[in-house]
Amino acid sequence: MELKHIPKLKFTDGQSFFLIAGPCAIEGEDMAFEIAGRVNAICERLEIPYIFKGSYRKANRSRIDSFTGIGDEKALGILKAVGEKFQIPVTTDIHSEPEAALAAQYVDVLQIPAFLCRQTSLLVAAAETGKVVNIKKGQFLSPDAMQFAADKVRGAGNERVLLTERGTTFGYQDLIVDFRGIPTMQSLGAPVVLDCTHSLQQPNQTSGVTGGRPAMISTIAKAGIAAGVDGLFIETHPTPSTAKSDGANMLPLDQLEPLLERLVNIRKAII
């Protein structure tokens, strides 16, 4: 799939990596517009193709009392409004077949969570919407095994597939990124994204709240660009400590611009 097939994606004629970035979850309209506006302005200046990300519902939670969302249609409406205001593509994750058709009315890219990357009916339902489908590699899968996930989408008549590396389970409470997986998944015929946020998660904490190492996002991102990844996924928030979901993983918004500037320079040095 070529990036130009993603609706409203800018700067696809250049040689930059593309960026998927936004908050973990949609907490409200003001927050979503603030993040999208600031990131979009940075990407416009640096000529980075940009897709805004925000989960309209958080289904994969450790604890029953964890924040799950502000309401499906309200959050999806905010995502659609962001895309229309800034003229950028937007993405969100889905968790069941009915959600595919619902979310497809509002967003440009449907994201399949890593835990669900082998869920055949979900992949087929996403494919049948005609939207771009971004499949996150399960923490339990090899890069080669993502061939079968991609084949499910393509077999349903949709060639618009992205694959995302987000780390592999290492013990009970850590993940590790094998950068050999980037060219391996690129050989499957899809652009590959490196999830710099969730690759640094520390799951299965005794508190029931997932931890993370956001101070290492820069390290993972720079290594990914050097390895030739096509896109980066970074969750960001103005004040991660007050975020309602995954605050321990997100990059403070004011740190994003200098990081992207460094990554652009790395990209220029290797092409």
Side-chain angles (χ1 to χ4, degrees):
M1 188 198 83
E2 296 184 25
L3 294 181
K4 65 183 181 181
H5 294 144
I6 300 177
K8 296 182 287 188
L9 192 62
K10 305 171 187 175
F11 307 117
T12 56
D13 293 333
Q15 294 182 304
S16 175
F17 57 90
F18 67 97
L19 176 69
I20 303 174
C24 177
I26 297 297
E27 300 172 8
E29 187 173 76
D30 291 344
M31 177 271 279
F33 273 66
E34 177 187 359
I35 296 172
R38 290 175 62 179
V39 179
N40 185 54
I42 296 167
C43 290
E44 290 269 3
R45 182 175 69 82
L46 297 175
E47 298 187 353
I48 297 172
Y50 173 47
I51 302 170
F52 176 79
K53 179 268 172 187
S55 296
Y56 78 94
R57 184 201 301 174
K58 297 301 297 182
N60 299 327
R61 304 287 85 192
S62 297
R63 289 169 38 166
I64 190 66
D65 60 348
S66 296
F67 174 80
T68 58
I70 61 174
D72 291 356
E73 292 192 5
K74 182 178 180 180
L76 286 167
I78 290 171
L79 283 163
K80 183 177 181 179
V82 165
E84 291 174 346
K85 177 176 176 59
F86 298 104
Q87 284 300 294
I88 54 175
V90 296
T91 185
T92 196
D93 34 6
I94 58 172
H95 312 87
S96 66
E97 298 94 290
E99 287 185 49
L102 173 64
Q105 299 175 52
Y106 298 87
V107 305
D108 306 287
V109 180
L110 297 175
Q111 181 173 284
I112 307 298
F115 284 133
L116 299 175
C117 68
R118 295 185 65 192
Q119 199 74 13
T120 302
S121 58
L122 178 60
L123 290 166
V124 171
E128 289 177 343
T129 67
K131 298 292 183 177
V132 177
V133 181
N134 179 22
I135 314 171
K136 287 196 167 187
K137 181 179 77 65
Q139 304 92 319
F140 43 84
L141 284 183
S142 70
D144 307 80
M146 289 300 289
Q147 174 72 62
F148 307 109
D151 285 349
K152 291 175 182 179
V153 175
R154 292 168 175 155
N158 189 338
E159 295 291 328
R160 300 197 293 173
V161 180
L162 304 173
L163 300 176
T164 293
E165 167 62 52
R166 52 96 72 230
T168 301
T169 299
F170 186 72
Y172 287 116
Q173 294 178 333
D174 208 355
L175 299 165
I176 191 166
V177 175
D178 181 353
F179 288 93
R180 296 174 299 177
I182 293 172
T184 297
M185 288 196 290
Q186 286 171 329
S187 73
L188 305 180
V192 174
V193 182
L194 175 60
D195 184 339
C196 305
T197 304
H198 296 95
S199 294
L200 294 165
Q201 274 188 330
Q202 294 179 313
N204 302 320
Q205 300 296 318
T206 55
S207 64
V209 178
T210 298
R213 302 182 68 190
M216 299 295 290
I217 289 174
S218 175
T219 299
I220 292 289
K222 288 184 287 187
I225 294 298
V229 77
D230 300 291
L232 297 176
F233 178 108
I234 300 175
E235 287 187 340
T236 185
H237 193 283
T239 53
S241 62
T242 67
K244 295 182 179 181
S245 179
D246 281 0
N249 297 291
M250 285 190 279
L251 183 75
L253 185 54
D254 61 5
Q255 295 181 19
L256 183 63
E257 185 167 15
L259 172 59
L260 291 176
E261 289 174 342
R262 290 193 293 272
L263 297 175
V264 166
N265 288 333
I266 295 171
R267 180 75 167 197
K268 289 178 180 178
I270 65 171
I271 59 176

